[in-house]
Amino acid sequence: TSLAEVNSFSPSVPISPSSMISQYKFEDGPELRDLFITVDDPESHITAIETFITYRVVTKTSRGEFDSSEYEVRRRYQDFLWLKSKLEEAHPTLIIPPLPEKFIMKGMVERFSDEFIETRRKALHKFLNRIADHPTLTFNEDFKIFLTAQAWELSSHKKQGPGLLSRMGQTVRAVASSVRGAVKNRPEMFTEMSNYMETFSQKINLLDKIAHRIYKEEKDYFNEMKEYGAIHTLWSASEEDIADSLKGIASCIDRCCKATEKRMAGLSENLLPILHEYILYSEILMGVLKRRDQIQGELDSKVDALANKKTEKDLFSEEIGKLEDKVERANNALKADWDRWKQNMQWEMRSTFMNVAENNLRYYEE
Amino acid sequence: MEECLAKKMEITVSEAEKRTGRNAMNIQETYTAYLIETRAVESQSEGQCAPVDSLWRRYSEFELLRNYLSVTYPHIVVPPLPEKRADFVWHKLSADNMDPDFVERRRIGLENFLLRVASHPVLCQDRIFYAFLTQEGGWKEMVNETGFQLKADSRLKALNATFRVKNPDKRFTELKHYSDELQSVISHLLRVRARVADRLYGVYKVHGNYGRVFSEWSAIEKEMGDGLQSAGHHMDVYAASIDDILEEEEHYADQLKEYLFYAEALRAVCRKHELMQYDLEMAAQDLTSKKQQCEELATGTVRTFSLKGMTSKLFGQETPEQREAKIKVLEEQIQEGEEQLKSKNLEGRDFVKSAWADIERFKEQKNHDLKEALISYAVMQISMCKKGIQVWTNAKECFSKM
């Protein structure tokens, strides 16, 4: 499949070629993809109780386990939240992609403004595609149901499985145990990861602040330049000989303004969202590391218990064996995921910054 | 065209020095003195250089010179001095008169002023100007001896006082209007330019933060480390580049400022003409009323109401002798008045002629200078963009290697 074909699945979404590459890139290359998802067409629904937005999710696939090769469903934000929590439940030590937040604290965007909806739509699109790209998550059963089930089917499926309360109970216990015995026996690799994540999270937050600041400064610059251009035009009205030169400068200033607008748009469409995503990612990763520690903690406490109780050795050793397996698998999965993630991140950062650089180039050329 | 002084003599204001001294009120003060160097332009084919003469002057002496020239040559658009205090500053530049950058720019402005005067066909021949350049001691006394302060019309100081001129010269009215517009538009432009400079400074400098964070981030990365680090370096370069760019722009701003002040000088010429015209009309009016009085006394008819006439009616008529005496005085005054009017008219026509010649010269100079200034501004912008392209191309390469 070439880039053109990938493009054809998202006719209404104006994604730039370079960001598409960054979204779909993974080790095997686009030729082996067999699952294509788009999120578009936000629609507003008004009921007696509430108003909410649904998004159209279109799936095209050649996989055997899917009954059909094309699906079109409508989902709302709540459904995405559900999917994320199911994935976290099933794979506590895998890195689940970030979802856009429920609200934006900045307050400059209203809940149902077009800008907010579009930003959210893009993020949801990315979310699903990242899951599809993930070698393990892509085969998750809940994921398949999310993509294919009709609205009523999804609701009834949601009601099955452990309820919210029990899940909450699990989380509380998990946090408690991880606080207690987390650091013991932790393989070196994960300590490194944890340290890395701390610094990384710090830096990403800083970059995000810097990028926002730059955006603001550029906006102010843009406003002043508009006035600047107008003055030159005004002046040209009182002059004869130099009127043309003045008008020339005024028109150049206008072009500068337009180029600045493009630069700002580039920032807000590419760099800012990605920086934000990685802020969320760093939180997610911290969570994953904690859960890993928690599982390790379970293993360790069982091992300790074994050392104290000589009886029921066999039962325990089986349990222990299982837990060790679990931890090992989790560790491996995490490590593999981590490496994948880093590569992806590198690629994304690289293309993002290249984008910024390109935009600046275009700005200066104009 | 007579040879301008500028062609015969090289003039530079080469240095500026801080001095302390006692002023007229015997209070100690700090001021800056400027070194004026002059050298006669001889045939330099044999590589011989004439000796350099030099003397020190301070800003107030320049002001005195300019005031003298404005009063002595009211029909000339006299070149302006650089500003007394720093105006239109954006936040990074200080508004301090002692700041070295400000002193430096003022030095250039003063040199420019001297060159402008020296290349003016009329002004360059003034002996006081020549003495300013060459005679260190006793120059101030020399200027005051010319008594120019007496000639200075105090009415000109009231800049906005209006004089009702019945037959204004349309050309001068238009010119005054133009000079007002020019002043307003240039000062507006300079204000906005200062704000634009401020904003641009902000944009560039914040990018410098990228440099710092990239460098810190690269410390924890393996594959991305080098790329990040060198990209960060380029961000630092980018942030630093704005300082030079904005300094260059200051010179452009100074060029515009010169014409802001020139507009004032232009306006002053229009005002002087207005005053002349006003005086002329007043004199003519006075003459007419005296002639009328004369006629009335002679014929005994009162055509217009006058308080004198009423009081004389109340207190009795004058004697014929008294009337004769009055008429005689009036006739003398009328004679005087007519001569004055004639000479004023002549003065006026001369003024208009020479003023208009200088105004044409000024217009050409202004158009030429402003065009050049605008072109150099555009060139500056292009070079700024080129630098930007270079930095971001480098950064892009670094990113691609991450």
Side-chain angles (χ1 to χ4, degrees):
Chain A
T1 53
S2 67
L3 191 59
E5 211 178 306
V6 171
N7 262 325
S8 70
F9 289 134
S10 50
S12 55
V13 176
I15 306 178
S16 76
S18 60
S19 74
M20 277 186 92
I21 292 175
S22 73
Q23 281 175 36
Y24 297 144
K25 182 89 177 170
F26 62 117
E27 301 98 76
D28 300 327
E31 305 81 43
L32 297 175
R33 294 197 97 233
D34 55 4
L35 188 67
F36 296 93
I37 308 173
T38 53
V39 176
D40 59 18
D41 191 31
E43 249 176 39
S44 181
H45 296 256
I46 308 176
T47 70
I49 320 167
E50 53 176 349
T51 313
F52 60 90
I53 308 268
T54 61
Y55 301 85
R56 184 174 73 152
V57 179
V58 175
T59 312
K60 293 194 172 108
T61 179
S62 55
R63 284 193 198 160
E65 58 266 32
F66 284 76
D67 292 332
S68 156
S69 63
E70 244 188 78
Y71 292 90
E72 188 179 310
V73 294
R74 292 209 80 98
R75 296 282 176 252
R76 56 184 290 189
Y77 184 73
Q78 269 184 22
D79 301 329
F80 286 85
L81 276 178
W82 169 85
L83 176 62
K84 181 165 160 89
S85 66
K86 295 298 283 180
L87 290 174
E88 277 171 354
E89 209 185 296
H91 309 276
T93 52
L94 289 184
I95 302 172
I96 315 294
L99 265 184
E101 287 131 322
K102 236 173 156 28
F103 310 109
I104 301 191
M105 283 309 157
K106 283 278 173 70
M108 26 169 229
V109 180
E110 224 202 73
R111 199 163 91 97
F112 290 123
S113 83
D114 287 340
E115 213 185 300
F116 178 75
I117 293 173
E118 176 60 15
T119 313
R120 189 179 255 198
R121 183 200 63 74
K122 279 195 200 151
L124 294 174
H125 176 96
K126 255 192 178 175
F127 172 72
L128 291 179
N129 277 286
R130 280 189 170 131
I131 298 176
D133 281 351
H134 194 289
T136 311
L137 294 177
T138 190
F139 297 109
N140 179 282
E141 190 60 28
D142 289 313
F143 182 49
K144 174 154 169 270
I145 292 175
F146 179 90
L147 292 175
T148 58
Q150 287 308 304
W152 59 269
E153 286 175 329
L154 184 63
S155 317
S156 73
H157 175 81
K158 276 194 203 179
K159 290 193 174 93
Q160 302 164 11
L164 184 65
L165 281 165
S166 68
R167 257 185 287 138
M168 271 175 61
Q170 256 178 28
T171 326
V172 169
R173 262 182 291 138
V175 169
S177 65
S178 72
V179 166
R180 248 181 294 138
V183 197
K184 223 178 17 163
N185 290 335
R186 186 202 277 164
E188 179 73 26
M189 172 175 71
F190 295 110
T191 312
E192 268 174 33
M193 264 193 221
S194 176
N195 292 335
Y196 173 86
M197 276 324 296
E198 236 180 89
T199 314
F200 179 80
S201 161
Q202 221 184 50
K203 299 311 162 199
I204 281 286
N205 271 289
L206 278 175
L207 286 178
D208 181 68
K209 284 202 183 80
I210 294 173
H212 273 103
R213 176 81 187 280
I214 290 182
Y215 184 85
K216 177 183 168 297
E217 295 282 342
E218 284 200 10
K219 189 152 180 216
D220 290 338
Y221 174 70
F222 172 76
N223 287 331
E224 297 295 350
M225 283 296 264
K226 278 207 303 214
E227 206 184 328
Y228 196 44
I231 294 180
H232 285 84
T233 311
L234 181 68
W235 186 1
S236 70
S238 340
E239 295 286 341
E240 287 162 6
D241 269 17
I242 57 175
D244 287 333
S245 314
L246 286 169
K247 279 193 216 147
I249 292 206
S251 79
C252 286
I253 293 180
D254 278 338
R255 275 169 48 202
C256 235
C257 281
K258 294 209 176 71
T260 304
E261 269 183 320
K262 279 195 208 157
R263 191 154 85 153
M264 279 164 46
L267 271 185
S268 77
E269 276 165 33
N270 293 326
L271 185 60
L272 294 178
I274 290 198
L275 286 177
H276 187 69
E277 266 168 41
Y278 277 89
I279 291 180
L280 293 175
Y281 254 130
S282 45
E283 280 169 31
I284 289 171
L285 262 107
M286 304 278 227
V288 167
L289 287 171
K290 277 214 180 79
R291 288 201 287 275
R292 192 219 68 86
D293 283 347
Q294 176 231 329
I295 292 176
Q296 173 102 51
E298 268 181 49
L299 168 66
D300 290 346
S301 62
K302 287 271 159 69
V303 169
D304 286 344
L306 177 64
N308 295 335
K309 281 188 187 168
K310 303 300 178 162
T311 57
E312 297 161 4
K313 249 195 289 187
D314 296 335
L315 206 66
F316 265 153
S317 42
E318 203 188 314
E319 261 188 64
I320 287 167
K322 268 203 222 150
L323 274 174
E324 276 183 359
D325 264 353
K326 188 171 169 195
V327 171
E328 171 131 9
R329 261 184 299 133
N331 288 350
N332 287 337
L334 181 55
K335 185 162 179 297
D337 219 27
W338 173 265
D339 286 340
R340 261 189 78 252
W341 175 81
K342 271 190 81 172
Q343 270 215 15
N344 270 352
M345 185 261 283
Q346 283 172 14
W347 182 272
E348 281 194 35
M349 286 296 175
R350 171 175 135 189
S351 67
T352 301
F353 282 114
M354 272 176 72
N355 211 315
V356 172
E358 254 177 57
N359 284 343
N360 279 304
L361 279 183
R362 251 179 283 138
Y363 166 77
Y364 281 119
E365 275 158 22
E366 282 182 32
Chain B
M1 247 291 226
E2 293 177 44
E3 267 267 298
C4 286
L5 189 61
K7 296 213 170 83
K8 293 190 248 173
M9 186 193 252
E10 241 175 62
I11 306 172
T12 51
V13 176
S14 51
E15 276 171 50
E17 216 178 71
K18 239 195 247 185
R19 299 257 180 94
T20 45
R22 295 197 172 273
N23 68 4
M25 292 174 283
N26 215 28
I27 300 171
Q28 202 173 46
E29 54 166 8
T30 333
Y31 63 91
T32 315
Y34 300 88
L35 183 65
I36 304 178
E37 287 183 340
T38 50
R39 179 187 20 220
V41 172
E42 315 236 333
S43 56
Q44 299 182 331
S45 47
E46 285 111 54
Q48 280 179 338
C49 268
V52 172
D53 276 328
S54 65
L55 47 76
W56 292 89
R57 293 261 184 241
R58 55 185 292 192
Y59 189 80
S60 55
E61 292 176 281
F62 278 87
E63 277 182 315
L64 184 59
L65 173 65
R66 188 171 189 276
N67 286 341
Y68 162 78
L69 290 173
S70 305
V71 172
T72 316
Y73 303 91
H75 55 284
I76 301 279
V77 183
V78 179
L81 284 172
E83 50 190 357
K84 204 166 180 154
R85 266 166 282 281
D87 224 346
F88 305 112
V89 285
W90 54 281
H91 84 280
K92 204 207 155 205
L93 288 188
S94 69
D96 177 20
N97 278 4
M98 288 299 166
D99 178 66
D101 280 333
F102 177 73
V103 169
E104 172 60 16
R105 292 196 352 260
R106 196 193 243 190
R107 180 194 68 75
I108 295 174
L110 289 174
E111 187 179 286
N112 192 47
F113 166 73
L114 291 178
L115 289 172
R116 291 264 194 223
V117 175
S119 36
H120 190 285
V122 174
L123 296 177
C124 70
Q125 296 175 50
D126 186 281
R127 64 183 179 95
I128 297 284
F129 173 60
Y130 188 78
F132 181 87
L133 294 172
T134 53
Q135 184 182 314
E136 179 128 35
W139 177 79
K140 262 205 191 142
E141 290 74 15
M142 198 179 172
V143 179
N144 290 328
E145 268 169 32
T146 63
F148 79 95
Q149 270 116 347
L150 299 168
K151 282 197 242 163
D153 197 331
S154 59
R155 290 177 294 174
L156 282 170
K157 295 236 162 93
L159 277 175
N160 289 325
T162 41
F163 297 93
R164 293 276 227 78
V165 173
K166 291 204 189 110
N167 292 318
D169 186 326
K170 209 165 81 140
R171 289 180 303 170
F172 278 98
T173 319
E174 273 175 20
L175 194 65
K176 187 160 135 199
H177 187 60
Y178 169 76
S179 75
D180 283 339
E181 272 181 15
L182 191 67
Q183 267 190 292
S184 140
V185 89
I186 292 186
S187 73
H188 191 189
L189 193 149
L190 285 170
R191 265 201 306 274
V192 179
R193 193 208 69 88
R195 292 206 299 263
V196 167
D198 228 346
R199 295 292 164 218
L200 198 61
Y201 184 77
V203 171
Y204 272 74
K205 283 301 178 193
V206 179
H207 277 86
N209 292 340
Y210 271 148
R212 191 177 45 92
V213 178
F214 279 1
S215 154
E216 288 167 8
W217 181 8
S218 72
I220 58 170
E221 293 292 341
K222 294 203 184 84
E223 294 107 2
M224 289 207 299
D226 288 333
L228 265 181
Q229 177 88 309
S230 33
H233 164 74
H234 289 297
M235 291 295 106
D236 287 332
V237 168
Y238 183 70
S241 68
I242 190 69
D243 293 314
D244 285 338
I245 291 171
L246 285 178
E247 207 183 288
E248 250 192 278
E249 267 199 25
E250 279 312 307
H251 291 292
Y252 168 69
D254 283 339
Q255 285 176 292
L256 289 185
K257 264 183 233 173
E258 195 194 5
Y259 276 91
L260 176 66
F261 303 137
Y262 249 128
E264 247 177 77
L266 191 63
R267 189 178 199 278
V269 172
C270 297
R271 286 284 282 169
K272 286 172 199 158
H273 174 260
E274 219 176 65
L275 266 180
M276 269 187 116
Q277 183 78 356
Y278 179 76
D279 280 346
L280 191 77
E281 288 181 0
M282 284 292 118
Q285 209 177 38
D286 189 54
L287 190 65
T288 319
S289 88
K290 285 208 164 84
K291 280 189 179 161
Q292 223 173 46
Q293 272 182 30
C294 209
E295 198 193 311
E296 283 168 18
L297 281 176
T299 60
T301 53
V302 181
R303 239 182 283 143
T304 52
F305 176 84
S306 80
L307 197 58
K308 260 213 194 125
M310 291 313 296
T311 50
S312 65
K313 278 231 166 87
L314 286 168
F315 296 110
Q317 293 275 353
E318 317 165 287
T319 65
E321 294 85 21
Q322 281 175 326
R323 243 198 303 161
E324 276 305 316
K326 271 206 185 137
I327 289 174
K328 201 94 192 277
V329 166
L330 274 175
E331 275 176 355
E332 269 175 35
Q333 284 180 343
I334 287 169
Q335 182 97 346
E336 252 181 66
E338 276 186 344
E339 274 176 27
Q340 266 193 18
L341 195 63
K342 228 199 254 174
S343 76
K344 274 207 160 83
N345 259 315
L346 210 67
E347 221 187 303
R349 276 202 292 273
D350 276 344
F351 181 94
V352 169
K353 200 167 105 179
S354 38
W356 213 254
D358 196 55
I359 285 167
E360 290 300 323
R361 185 203 59 85
F362 169 74
K363 271 195 192 157
E364 258 187 60
Q365 177 197 296
K366 170 205 80 156
N367 287 334
H368 173 265
D369 288 348
L370 285 179
K371 213 178 225 178
E372 262 191 34
L374 291 172
I375 290 174
S376 82
Y377 182 66
V379 166
M380 259 188 259
Q381 298 302 304
I382 291 176
S383 116
M384 171 173 98
C385 287
K386 283 209 178 122
K387 282 191 203 154
I389 288 178
Q390 199 179 46
V391 168
W392 284 101
T393 311
N394 291 341
K396 184 175 169 183
E397 224 188 281
C398 293
F399 287 135
S400 70
K401 291 204 190 117
M402 278 188 359

